[in-house]
Amino acid sequence: MTILITGGAGFLGSHLCGRLLLAGNRVICLDNFFTGNKKNIEPWLGKENFSLIQHDIIEPFFISEKIDQIYNLACPASPVHYQANPIRTVKANTIGVINVLGLAKKHSARILQASTSEVYGDPAEHPQTESYRGNVNCAGSRSCYDEGKRVAETLFFDYWREHKADIRVARIFNTYGPNMSADDGRVVSNFITQALKNDDITIYGDGGQTRSFQYVDDLIDGLIKMMENQSGFIGPVNLGNPEEFTIKRLADEIIKLIPESKSKIVYRSLPEDDPRQRKPDISLAKEKLGWQPRVELEEGLKKTIEYFRKIIK
Ligand code: NAD
Ligand code: UDP
């Protein structure tokens, strides 16, 4: 198959490129390199089965080569980056998503949206099931991403209702692993790079807020299963690891795994609208896709630390 991955040079996109190439597909990676990195896709540059298109999904585009599947990942995922230019974040999730859905329609390609647990906002229901409608502030500094991703889902379902587009929607919960950029700003990469550089480990708030951390390989399995599913199930489906940790516990785990670190924990103010708790209910993914995560936090952190040791010198 020929598979287009928008945002293919980013953290998740690069893992997806690798897995889909290994399975014998032709992969087209489209990216504007806002948060992506050429290093992530370097192994495949110049290879026959791999093409790179430097483009921003906000601008119209057409690809003449026949495309069978599209994974739409093009959007900055870290609060630091998506808030740096919030209007562009909204554009990527509206104009950009319309452009990518239009391309899927022209090619009659199946298209999967990388949605997010952020559609639940600061959730009042715990753990979060797909039927929970969320608690999202539409006027805050996270809204460009949260509301952007919500309207992106709306567009997917409207293209499905109106144009019979062959869609899949996956709601991804906090995922970590190699190829995250060192300056990404998300918690796992921040804590590991801080610990490796003997810098202060910055906990925002009191560290009592929770997240559920999924290792990237598990997520990639889930995304591909969702894309390949033929049962008529289009989602939305939660893809995340239901093991819940406080941010303080995450910091302690990382310090334990980097015993030579001289870093100290420091507390900084909590960003606006930072969700207090997050944990996926993955019953639907288990039932419909036969999927569940396998990698435990310690094992995933060890692999991620190994990666950051190589890139931070
Ligand atoms: P990332 O920032 O590493 O990757 C995003 C990629 O998209 C980058 O390569 C970036 O350059 C590219 N990009 C951004 N805007 C673009 C645009 N307008 N046109 C073309 N390319 C553009 O982030 P990631 O963690 O790999 O996330 C990938 C997708 O998964 C995002 O859509 C994100 O919202 C979603 N997601 C990720 C997580 C997670 O924990 N990693 C959780 C929920 C959802
Ligand atoms: N966080 C933190 N220190 C950091 C980066 C993040 O304490 O250096 C906290 C952040 O406030 C949030 C959690 O870790 O409560 C997860 O943040 P991240 O940006 O990784 O993802 P998201 O908030 O989108 O889940």
Side-chain angles (χ1 to χ4, degrees):
M1 273 193 287
T2 298
I3 304 176
L4 172 69
I5 305 175
T6 72
F11 160 46
L12 299 180
S14 58
H15 284 270
L16 203 48
C17 287
R19 282 283 286 278
L20 294 171
L21 282 166
L22 204 63
N25 299 290
R26 168 158 165 65
V27 170
I28 303 172
C29 164
L30 182 145
D31 206 294
N32 69 352
F33 292 102
F34 175 44
T35 51
N37 192 331
K38 254 199 190 139
K39 276 216 154 31
N40 288 340
I41 51 167
E42 215 160 44
W44 313 299
L45 289 173
K47 294 254 157 72
E48 202 188 320
N49 272 352
F50 185 79
S51 303
L52 171 66
I53 301 173
Q54 186 159 352
H55 187 81
D56 192 314
I57 60 162
I58 295 170
E59 304 301 330
F61 63 101
F62 185 68
I63 295 172
S64 51
E65 183 180 347
K66 178 80 183 80
I67 291 164
D68 303 298
Q69 292 182 346
I70 304 174
Y71 287 84
N72 184 43
L73 272 61
C75 178
S78 161
V80 176
H81 295 301
Y82 69 65
Q83 289 171 22
N85 193 335
I87 296 166
R88 282 198 79 80
T89 303
V90 174
K91 281 186 181 170
N93 284 300
T94 49
I95 302 167
V97 164
I98 290 170
N99 286 335
V100 182
L101 279 164
L103 186 79
K105 192 173 154 228
K106 287 200 185 90
H107 285 266
S108 301
R110 181 172 296 171
I111 178 164
L112 180 145
Q113 166 67 354
S115 189
T116 168
S117 51
E118 292 281 332
V119 299
Y120 304 123
D122 185 7
E125 182 182 303
H126 196 73
Q128 294 81 54
T129 58
E130 290 82 353
S131 58
Y132 176 54
R133 292 185 183 182
N135 174 32
V136 180
N137 175 5
C138 68
S141 47
R142 290 178 89 96
S143 311
C144 58
Y145 185 76
D146 298 8
E147 295 290 15
K149 287 285 186 176
R150 284 170 70 95
V151 80
E153 284 201 17
T154 306
L155 285 164
F156 266 70
F157 285 101
D158 282 335
Y159 267 73
W160 171 68
R161 273 185 289 263
E162 257 193 76
H163 300 301
K164 311 270 176 293
D166 186 7
I167 65 156
R168 302 284 187 275
V169 174
R171 292 180 179 160
I172 303 169
F173 284 64
N174 296 66
T175 306
Y176 69 95
N179 291 9
M180 288 186 99
S181 119
D183 63 1
D184 180 83
R186 279 176 279 183
V187 68
V188 174
S189 47
N190 266 14
F191 286 0
I192 293 177
T193 53
Q194 288 163 344
L196 290 174
K197 291 157 117 183
N198 296 315
D199 291 343
D200 289 343
I201 293 183
T202 53
I203 290 184
Y204 303 158
D206 63 6
Q209 71 271 37
T210 68
R211 294 293 186 273
S212 304
F213 296 102
Q214 160 174 242
Y215 188 64
V216 61
D217 289 356
D218 284 332
L219 172 73
I220 300 300
D221 286 344
L223 287 178
I224 293 173
K225 281 197 167 182
M226 186 60 183
M227 180 64 108
E228 296 298 333
N229 188 270
Q230 300 287 11
S231 69
F233 175 60
I234 60 172
V237 67
N238 289 340
L239 295 179
N241 191 321
E243 251 205 282
E244 187 181 5
F245 292 85
T246 65
I247 295 305
K248 170 69 169 65
R249 169 127 184 250
L250 176 74
D252 291 339
E253 291 288 326
I254 289 173
I255 291 168
K256 190 182 84 190
L257 295 173
I258 308 178
E260 75 280 14
S261 176
K262 296 183 178 61
S263 297
K264 305 247 172 324
I265 289 178
V266 296
Y267 291 86
R268 299 279 179 259
S269 56
L270 191 68
E272 183 192 19
D273 291 335
D274 199 285
R276 278 169 293 113
Q277 53 181 2
R278 186 179 292 153
K279 170 186 161 106
D281 181 319
I282 57 164
S283 313
L284 200 59
K286 280 186 185 162
E287 180 201 325
K288 301 285 187 186
L289 308 176
W291 174 88
Q292 63 179 45
R294 304 195 177 282
V295 181
E296 294 197 354
L297 186 68
E298 180 170 328
E299 184 189 344
L301 286 179
K302 280 184 180 161
K303 292 182 181 171
T304 312
I305 291 168
E306 217 172 287
Y307 167 78
F308 279 109
R309 275 191 202 283
K310 284 188 205 130
I311 67 160
I312 297 173
K313 277 284 167 259

